Structures are given as structure tokens and as C-alpha cells.
């Protein structure tokens, strides 16, 4: 067994990581957002980094949206929200990355939430050289970072300041994409057609569009998930509009390509101002109003 471990390089790499006094810890930001949290970026910043095999990376939560740092194939197929949550919320693997393991996962990175098992950073040491692509299980392999792990005697071309600068430029592009997506989605909306968020391959819009929405009594409004190109759940949950003796609530909405339900219709027969929110993202300001006039 000792011979096998030595051939694979696992034991020597572990020792080198633990004892090398020149090992560095690099910082990578996970996600980003606008100041009002309306736009949530889905990128590691930077998206590519070169380090030594004796080094560590500290992945730091950088937005209100939840993310993971994951490698390999999750144990459960991503065919349901329950499976996705079970895989994403469960940390797998130790403090040293093992590229031979079928699955490595940080657990959920997010700002502190009372009674939630979220972490704000995830530090991982790299014992083995190679090129490794990590991704966010929540947002798919489009949100990824390539980690190039070099032998400790190979000179590195960049320092942390370089990666901070690259990350800032990449992050600004992501937020600009999200703002443009929000503008395009709002332009397609109408008083009777409210888009429930929006998502492309870079950013998410955590807003109802339009809001506030002004309609006349008797109008039916369709709340629509079709502007989301990725798997993201939302709800349309009213806090002060009752129909049939209970508050109006869509339940969980999903894009049509993953089975939906992707639309929710509400007929407003009462005049007044009615407030609603997304139960998943109201902490990011995803709240809305419908103003019903006579």
C-alpha cells in the first residue's frame, strides 16, 4: 500500500503542501452583484488562475446568491430541485483536493443566514499538479474556473494583484451584461405580462419586470419565467391579496424547459395596491407591486 501511494504521488504531495514554507494562499471571488443586488453575476473572478502545487485557494463568497465550488460528477442526477439541493448543500472532500475522487464539493457559499449551514469562504490545498476545472453546481458548468497547478519549481507569471485586476474587469463585464439583460426584458414586458426574473449565461436579474405594475380592475396578469435561460426557481407570493380565502401564491415556478410550471395568472378584481415577493430572493429586493385602478 505504501508503494502504491508513493507511485501515485499522494503522500509526498500531501507532505509538501503541509510543510513547504513558501506555499501561498490565493484569493478567488465567487460571484458578484450590483449594489442593489438586482444583478447577480455567475462567474468565478478570475476565471483562470496559475498556482503552485504547494498552494491553496481561498474561494470567497462575493454576492447574495448562493454558489458552490464543485469538481467531478455529483452523486445524484440533477433531475430535480431536491437532488440539486442534496448535492449542493453537502460538503464532500477534505482540505486537500484529491483529483482522483469522483466528487468534491464545498457546500453552499453565501452571506450569513440565521440557522442556515452556509459558509462564507472555502479553502482548498492543491497537492497534485494538473489542470482542473471547478464549477458551481447551482448554476451549472458555464460558471467555472480553470485552476492550473504547476510544479513548485516552475515560475509563476502573475501575482494576486494581477488576478484581482483581471477579476474586476471580468466582473464589470458580467454586471454590464446583466443590466443589458434587464433592459431588454423590461422592454418586452407589459402591464399584463410581468417577467419573473431573467437569466442568461453570465448573469441573473432578481427583479419582477415591470414593477410597479398598473392595471384596471378585472385585468388578468401573466407572471412569466420565460426570460430565464437557466434553472432558477422563483415564486410570486402575495402578502395582502386574498382569493378564495387565502393569500395568492404561485408556489415554485421553474422555466418550461425543466418542466415548469413556468407561468402564473392572477385576475385582479379588487382595487388597491397589492404587494408580492419571491420567497427565494426577496432578500435581494425581488419584490413587486400591482396597482389596480377602477
Amino acid at each position: 500500500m505504501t508503494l502504491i501511494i508513493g507511485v501515485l504521488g499522494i503522500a509526498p504531495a500531501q507532505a509538501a503542501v503541509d510543510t513547504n514554507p513558501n506555499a501561498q494562499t490565493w484569493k478567488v471571488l465567487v460571484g458578484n452583484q450590483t449594489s442593489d443586488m438586482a444583478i447577480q453575476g455567475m462567474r468565478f473572478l478570475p476565471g483562470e488562475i496559475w498556482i503552485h502545487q504547494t498552494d491553496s485557494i481561498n474561494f470567497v463568497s462575493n454576492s447574495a446568491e448562493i454558489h458552490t465550488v464543485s469538481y467531478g460528477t455529483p452523486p445524484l442526477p440533477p433531475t430535480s430541485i431536491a437532488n440539486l439541493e442534496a448535492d449542493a448543500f453537502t460538503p464532500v472532500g477534505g482540505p486537500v483536493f484529491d483529483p482522483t475522487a469522483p466528487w468534491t464539493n464545498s457546500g453552499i457559499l453565501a452571506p450569513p443566514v440565521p440557522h442556515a449551514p452556509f459558509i462564507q469562504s472555502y479553502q482548498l490545498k492543491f497537492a497534485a499538479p494538473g489542470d482542473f476545472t471547478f464549477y458551481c453546481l447551482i448554476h451549472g458548468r458555464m460558471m467555472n474556473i480553470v485552476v492550473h497547478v504547476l510544479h513548485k519549481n516552475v515560475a509563476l507569471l502573475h501575482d494576486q494583484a494581477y488576478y484581482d485586476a483581471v477579476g474586476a474587469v471580468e466582473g464589470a463585464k458580467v454586471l454590464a451584461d446583466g443590466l443589458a439583460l434587464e433592459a431588454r426584458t423590461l422592454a418586452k414586458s407589459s402591464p399584463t405580462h410581468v417577467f419573473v426574473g431573467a437569466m442568461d449565461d453570465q448573469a441573473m436579474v432578481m427583479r419582477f419586470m415591470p414593477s410597479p405594475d398598473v392595471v384596471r380592475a378585472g385585468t388578468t396578469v401573466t407572471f412569466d419565467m420565460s426570460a430565464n435561460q437557466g434553472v432558477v426557481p422563483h415564486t410570486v407570493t402575495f402578502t395582502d391579496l386574498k382569493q378564495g380565502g387565502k393569500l395568492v401564491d404561485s408556489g415554485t415556478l421553474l422555466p418550461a424547459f425543466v418542466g415548469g410550471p413556468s407561468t402564473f395568472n392572477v385576475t385582479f378584481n379588487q382595487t388597491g395596491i397589492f404587494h408580492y415577493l419571491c420567497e427565494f430572493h426577496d432578500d435581494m429586493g425581488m419584490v413587486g407591486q400591482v396597482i389596480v385602478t377602477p
Side-chain angles (χ1 to χ4, degrees), residues 179-244:
L179 290 169
L181 174 63
E182 182 180 28
R184 292 194 304 272
T185 306
L186 186 58
K188 294 188 294 183
S189 70
S190 72
T192 59
H193 193 150
V194 175
F195 287 100
V196 182
M199 177 181 178
D200 61 13
D201 62 350
Q202 296 188 58
M204 306 171 72
V205 181
M206 297 300 190
R207 290 295 184 267
F208 296 100
M209 297 162 278
S211 180
D213 187 24
V214 181
V215 297
R216 299 189 66 172
T219 300
T220 297
V221 176
T222 297
F223 295 87
D224 181 13
M225 288 283 292
S226 66
N228 294 280
Q229 298 176 19
V231 180
V232 55
H234 291 300
T235 74
V236 178
T237 302
F238 281 85
T239 59
D240 48 15
L241 175 65
K242 287 188 175 182
Q243 293 180 354

Side-chain angles (χ1 to χ4, degrees), residues 149-198:
V149 185
L150 307 179
H151 188 275
K152 63 182 179 180
N153 293 329
V154 176
L156 298 177
L157 296 179
H158 307 302
D159 59 10
Q160 183 67 57
Y162 171 85
Y163 290 119
D164 291 344
V166 169
V169 171
E170 293 175 350
K173 290 179 179 178
V174 169
L175 297 184
D177 173 86
L179 290 169
L181 174 63
E182 182 180 28
R184 292 194 304 272
T185 306
L186 186 58
K188 294 188 294 183
S189 70
S190 72
T192 59
H193 193 150
V194 175
F195 287 100
V196 182

Side-chain angles (χ1 to χ4, degrees), residues 1 15 25 55 57 81 83 101 115 134 174 199 208 213 256 260 270:
M1 179 60 74
T25 298
D55 291 348
I57 296 179
I81 293 295
N83 281 9
H115 312 299
F134 290 79
V174 169
M199 177 181 178
F208 296 100
D213 187 24
Q270 307 164 247

